């Protein structure tokens, strides 16, 4: 009985210390400290190829013809952006928020969009060969249009574009 009481008291002490640590050291769970923000800026035809842009914010940015080939855009925020004819070949956008983005005519060949949010975004005439959309949130209409031309297998993840979109 004494051992059980000591273990219980030890657990209570650990919980109290953990609670005090959380209260005395508050940091927002999703804070993006020391990140670069490209908000409301013209980035037309800029070269971000092979750049590490994880967690970077691109809100309402003009990115026509911008080169993101091979870039790391994991957990990046690209909302209300224009990526007409942009090059995202081989880019990693895992977990990215790509909401209300126009990607018409963009090169998305072998891009990785796993667990990305691609709501209200357009992909008309975008090259999607080898792109991986596994567990991405995409509007049904856009999925149906992309399934008409979905082809290839992503060289990094090994997932076929058709399977990642759930095409029949």
């Amino acid at each position: 009985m004494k051992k059980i009481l000591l273990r219980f008291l030890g657990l209570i002490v650990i919980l109290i210390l953990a609670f005090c640590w959380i209260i005395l050291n508050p940091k927002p769970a999703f804070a993006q400290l020391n990140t670069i923000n490209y908000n409301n800026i013209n980035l037309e035809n800029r070269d971000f190829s092979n750049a590490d842009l994880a967690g970077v914010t691109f809100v309402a940015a003009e990115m026509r013809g911008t080169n993101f080939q091979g870039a790391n855009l994991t957990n990046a925020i690209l909302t209300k952006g224009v990526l007409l004819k942009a090059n995202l070949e081989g880019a990693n956008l895992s977990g990215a928020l790509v909401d209300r983005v126009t990607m018409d005519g963009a090169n998305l060949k072998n891009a990785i969009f796993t667990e990305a949010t691609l709501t209200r975004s357009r992909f008309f005439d975008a090259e999607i060969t080898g792109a991986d959309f596994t567990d991405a949130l995409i509007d049904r209409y856009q999925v149906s249009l992309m399934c008409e031309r979905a082809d290839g297998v992503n060289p990094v993840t090994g997932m076929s574009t058709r399977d990642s979109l759930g095409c029949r």
Side-chain angles (χ1 to χ4, degrees):
M1 183 71 170
K2 199 173 191 181
K3 282 185 177 181
I4 293 174
L5 183 60
L6 285 175
R7 284 186 181 180
F8 180 72
L9 288 175
L11 180 62
I12 296 295
V13 169
I14 289 171
L15 290 174
I16 290 171
L17 289 173
F19 179 76
C20 290
W21 181 76
I22 291 170
I23 296 298
L24 297 175
N25 191 19
K27 288 186 181 173
F30 297 105
Q32 291 187 350
L33 303 173
N34 302 320
T35 60
I36 299 170
N37 295 317
Y38 292 107
N39 299 337
N40 298 307
I41 191 167
N42 186 346
L43 299 171
E44 196 168 343
N45 298 314
R46 293 273 302 265
D47 185 10
F48 291 103
S49 58
N50 301 306
D52 185 5
L53 302 167
V56 173
T57 304
F58 296 89
V59 176
E62 175 64 54
M63 298 174 278
R64 294 173 196 257
T66 300
N67 185 8
F68 289 104
Q69 185 172 1
N72 177 13
L73 290 157
T74 55
N75 299 315
I77 299 172
L78 295 96
T79 59
K80 301 179 189 176
V82 178
L83 283 159
L84 291 170
K85 297 185 179 177
N87 183 7
L88 288 103
E89 184 173 340
N92 186 351
L93 290 102
S94 298
L97 174 61
V98 187
D99 180 57
R100 292 173 281 172
V101 175
T102 304
M103 289 194 239
D104 298 353
N107 178 4
L108 308 177
K109 186 176 180 181
N110 299 325
I112 301 171
F113 290 96
T114 56
E115 298 180 357
T117 302
L118 304 159
T119 51
R120 294 176 28 190
S121 293
R122 290 182 10 180
F123 303 91
F124 299 138
D125 297 322
E127 171 62 53
I128 60 169
T129 301
D132 184 353
F133 296 95
T134 303
D135 297 327
L137 183 60
I138 311 169
D139 297 334
R140 283 189 210 180
Y141 178 68
Q142 291 299 318
V143 170
S144 67
L145 292 176
M146 288 192 289
C147 280
E148 292 175 6
R149 62 185 191 281
D151 190 27
V153 174
N154 188 280
V156 175
T157 65
M159 177 64 83
S160 80
T161 302
R162 292 190 62 75
D163 289 344
S164 71
L165 285 169
C167 301
R168 295 179 187 182

